[in-house]
Each structure stands twice: as C-alpha cells, then as structure tokens.
C-alpha cells in the first residue's frame, strides 16, 4: 500500500545547528503535505504545510522543501533550540482523503 | 493550546469493556477526525466527520464507532476492548474538512486496557 515514511527514526544535533528532517512519500497523487511536531505527552502541533504546486515554503525558523520528482519532503529548522526536541511527523493528503502520517523522526537537541 | 478539547485525558479499563471518548472541536470548525497512536503503528487515521455526517473512514475496527452531534462535538465509542486497543486516541478538527485546511489536534486520551 501507499505510505509516508521518514528516512531516519532519530536525529541528534547541537544547539544552534541547522536540522534537516527528511520524508519520502510514495503516493504521487498527494497534493498537500504537512509537518507536525509532537512533544512528549502532547498532541501533534502544526508547523508548516506546502501544496504540490510549490517547491519551497518558509516560516519562522522553518523551511519545507518539496521535490516531486523524487517524492521527497524535508523540514529544515534553523538555529535549532532545545525546545525543538520532539518527534516530527510528515503527513500527506490528496483531495478528498484524510491525512496519512509517517512514523516520525525523534529530534534531540543538546546544549 | 490548539482549541480542541478531549476527555478523559487518561482511562484505564478492563478487557471486554466499553468506553466513550469525547471531543469538542475548535470553535467554528465543522470537521472532526479521530486518530489512534500506538508505539508500533504511529498515527493511524480512524474516521472523519463533517457537520454531523461521516466523510471518510480509515482503519477503524468494527468494534469502534463514532458520531458527531448537532453541536459538533464528537464521541468515539470503543467496545469489547482488547489489550491491543491500548493507545493514545487523538481528536482533531478543521474548518471544513477540505484538503489544505489546517488540522488541529487535541492533547489526546490515553487508554489503557488491562
């Protein structure tokens, strides 16, 4: 079946470094992608989204890149802070379907 | 705070029992979603409602059912509970359920079946 997955289950970085979290998706019909952050004991928190007609979208300290050719999505976090430590999920959807989540990458930031 | 409210936050019950999880969506949101999160399965989509009507169904077991009421709150009913049903159940809401509208999640209901 089709699924959204992440390349690495864990990522460890130093405070101040830039973090890149990757995600591969398999459904070429997906036209909407979202990144969520989930802290321990809390619900997923929306970070940033991107539609398939875009290659890049920037938010505050975060950038999402979409490469439809290789079906790859990435989340870049600039100047990573200890408060960024969490599990990050990418999710995909196409018109008329609910969000399908990948398994998540755990980001650990050490100071 | 996402604005999505879920109760109870924690629940412990025995196998074979039935429980009801409740969700109040964000003010103004018409669509409600239910997701199950377990350690080995990640976030699994269960079901979606829009303005009281079922809109999409995912990996929801026949032992589970849900509904959305006229005041837009939703309930997820889990019956004949098994140990494997122990998980974190999330409710989420969005404005109208259309693809591209941000989906906001509640804090979840922890269900432990013993």
């Amino acid at each position: 079946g089709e699924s959204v997955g992440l390349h690495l289950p864990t990522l460890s970085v130093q405070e101040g470094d830039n973090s890149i979290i990757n995600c591969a998706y398999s459904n070429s019909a997906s036209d909407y992608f979202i990144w969520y952050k989930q802290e321990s004991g809390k619900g997923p928190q929306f970070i940033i989204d991107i539609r398939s007609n875009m290659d890049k979208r920037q938010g505050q300290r975060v950038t999402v890149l979409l490469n439809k050719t290789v079906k790859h999505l990435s989340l870049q976090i600039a100047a990573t802070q200890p408060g960024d430590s969490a599990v990050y999920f990418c999710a995909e959807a196409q018109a008329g379907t609910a969000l399908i989540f990948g398994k998540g990458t755990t980001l650990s930031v050490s100071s | 705070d996402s604005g999505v409210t879920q109760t109870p936050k924690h629940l412990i019950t025995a196998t074979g029992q039935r429980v009801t999880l409740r969700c109040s969506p964000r003010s103004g949101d018409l669509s409600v979603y239910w997701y199950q999160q377990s350690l080995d399965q990640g976030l699994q989509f269960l079901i979606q409602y829009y303005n009281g009507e079922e809109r999409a169904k995912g990996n929801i077991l026949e032992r589970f059912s849900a509904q959305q009421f006229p005041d837009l709150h939703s309930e997820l009913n889990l019956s004949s509970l098994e140990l494997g049903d122990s998980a974190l159940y999330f409710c989420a809401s969005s404005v109208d359920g259309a693809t591209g509208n941000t989906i906001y999640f509640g804090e979840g209901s922890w269900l432990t079946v013993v």
Side-chain angles (χ1 to χ4, degrees), chain B residues 70-91:
Chain B
D71 67 352
L72 301 178
H73 91 271
S74 178
E75 292 181 355
L76 179 66
N77 301 295
L78 314 175
S79 61
S80 302
L81 285 167
E82 302 175 359
L83 296 177
D85 297 327
S86 295
L88 190 52
Y89 291 85
F90 285 108
C91 173

Side-chain angles (χ1 to χ4, degrees), chain B residues 17-31:
Chain B
Q17 296 298 304
R18 172 189 170 96
V19 298
T20 297
L21 309 180
R22 182 188 168 98
C23 169
S24 293
R26 293 188 336 142
S27 178
D29 284 0
L30 298 178
S31 193

Side-chain angles (χ1 to χ4, degrees), chain A residues 63-81:
Chain A
T63 300
V64 56
L65 298 177
L66 176 63
N67 186 330
K68 295 180 288 294
T69 301
V70 294
K71 290 186 282 188
H72 183 268
L73 189 71
S74 68
L75 177 70
Q76 300 178 2
I77 304 174
T80 313
Q81 303 168 1

Side-chain angles (χ1 to χ4, degrees), chain B:
Chain B
D1 184 3
S2 67
V4 179
T5 304
Q6 291 186 246
T7 58
K9 293 193 185 314
H10 300 275
L11 188 59
I12 301 174
T13 190
T15 54
Q17 296 298 304
R18 172 189 170 96
V19 298
T20 297
L21 309 180
R22 182 188 168 98
C23 169
S24 293
R26 293 188 336 142
S27 178
D29 284 0
L30 298 178
S31 193
V32 169
Y33 310 76
W34 286 97
Y35 282 81
Q36 178 192 59
Q37 186 175 37
S38 55
L39 285 175
D40 59 344
Q41 291 294 323
L43 275 156
Q44 297 287 314
F45 168 66
L46 296 178
I47 198 163
Q48 177 195 0
Y49 282 83
Y50 170 73
N51 205 20
E53 299 292 325
E54 182 183 307
R55 171 166 281 191
K57 186 176 277 191
N59 301 319
I60 188 166
L61 300 173
E62 286 191 11
R63 299 184 286 109
F64 297 178
S65 64
Q67 54 183 330
Q68 185 180 27
F69 295 87
D71 67 352
L72 301 178
H73 91 271
S74 178
E75 292 181 355
L76 179 66
N77 301 295
L78 314 175
S79 61
S80 302
L81 285 167
E82 302 175 359
L83 296 177
D85 297 327
S86 295
L88 190 52
Y89 291 85
F90 285 108
C91 173
S93 72
S94 68
V95 171
D96 61 8
T99 302
N101 287 323
T102 302
I103 298 176
Y104 295 91
F105 282 78
E107 296 293 280
S109 292
W110 277 100
L111 173 66
T112 302
V113 183
V114 297

Side-chain angles (χ1 to χ4, degrees), chain A residues 17-39:
Chain A
D17 287 351
N18 295 331
S19 302
I20 300 176
I21 301 172
N22 295 304
C23 175
Y25 65 95
S26 58
N27 186 356
S28 56
S30 292
D31 55 10
Y32 180 61
F33 305 87
I34 307 180
W35 282 100
Y36 281 90
K37 171 187 180 183
Q38 186 176 20
E39 297 175 278

